[in-house]
Amino acid sequence: MDAYELLTRNAEEVVTDEEVRDLAEDPEGKRAYVGYEPSGVLHLGHLLTANKLIDLQEAGVEVVILLADAHAYLNEKGSLEEIRATAEQMKAQFLAYGLDEERTEFVYGSTFQFDEAYTRDLHTLEQATTMNRAQRAMAEIQGDETAKVSHLVYPLMQTLDIEYLDLDLAVGGLDQRKVHMLAREKLPELDYEVRPAIHTPILADLTTGEGKMSSSEGVTISMEDSTDDLEEKVNSAYCPPTRDPEPDDEGNERENPVLELFEYHVFPRFDEVVVERPEKYGGDLTYEGYEALAADLESGELHPADAKGTLATYLDELIAPGREKLREIRG
RNA sequence: CCGCCCUUAGCUCAGACUGGUAGAGCAGUCGACUGUAGAUCGACUUGCCCCCCGUUCAAAUCGGGGAGGGCGGACCA
């Protein structure tokens, strides 16, 4: 797989394609980042962007993971001390998941975001940004909480992080899109360079196929899940035998979350997927890519129940090292 | 600083005027049906009624105080 393909595969959006093509010409030594609010337990949402980071490393790009302790503080996730403790757990889980320790730089936001130069730039950016714009950028991240001044500062800091971490590329879920667009617009106003962004999709809710998987309620698969938890959660997933399900009665678009998990979590990490099936149902099946599996589900060759069992097995394998790490950390 | 409105189940809200220890829809859980899930049937669960004090035989409801949230307070009309 060539560098451009590694950078863009499974991406929902690439901004801009020309800039990323340029980057792919000579990826060695270039720097890309994702910022995460520290969390004690990684879930599939984190792992989806981590998959992209693994792709980037394979293409020769240096990866920076911003452990965004100051951002989490702004977002009222606890004291800086508490936040840093969970950040350490997060770091350990990322490495267990498969990020290359030699090529991954973990940076605490608080180590540079309180510096004088940064703070001055932040205030300049505050002058250059309307409240309306900052709030719109933050809306996806903020959720239902009442808007505070901290919520307006939050995306402005993300904008500056891209400059201060000396990056060539910003990576994030599609929920980060407005923040990255704000950054692309504002960085030149401070005489800094524009950087491209790559956005991963937001996967559908497991049980309904609608909306987002980790939208507050809903079932989330995380590093904490036992093998049994995984089986139970995957088994209860919405899974019609098709890749584009009909909208529900209220007209909401639906995806097939089981197929999405195969596409975005399983196939990027495994060259071959084996469906173990009793003779009664036709015996084992082997897939080397997502398309073939999706086509078989669509045709009826692969029954959803067998797809689910297989999915749970592979997700379990992906999560196992992180789960073990968590167990160690917690004693 | 001043004024008005809101706070009841996980969510959206009814009930308050005319005190009698709470309801609906959605969600959720469990069965039936499908070799998955959903849909569809059938059953079930859910509450410091924001907090404190007071009135009362009795307070979600009335009175006082407080907290959290929303909105308004130039000019013109």
Side-chain angles (χ1 to χ4, degrees), chain A residues 2 31 58 73 140-141 157 225 255 264 279 298 318:
Chain A
D2 71 16
R31 290 163 62 82
E58 199 173 322
Y73 182 74
E140 287 290 320
I141 302 165
M157 287 176 65
D225 287 320
E255 304 299 328
Y264 293 104
E279 283 308 321
E298 190 101 48
L318 284 172

Side-chain angles (χ1 to χ4, degrees), chain A residues 267-282:
Chain A
F267 281 106
R269 298 294 305 278
F270 295 93
D271 293 330
E272 185 179 272
V273 170
V274 177
V275 177
E276 292 183 12
R277 215 165 50 165
E279 283 308 321
K280 165 185 170 190
Y281 293 129

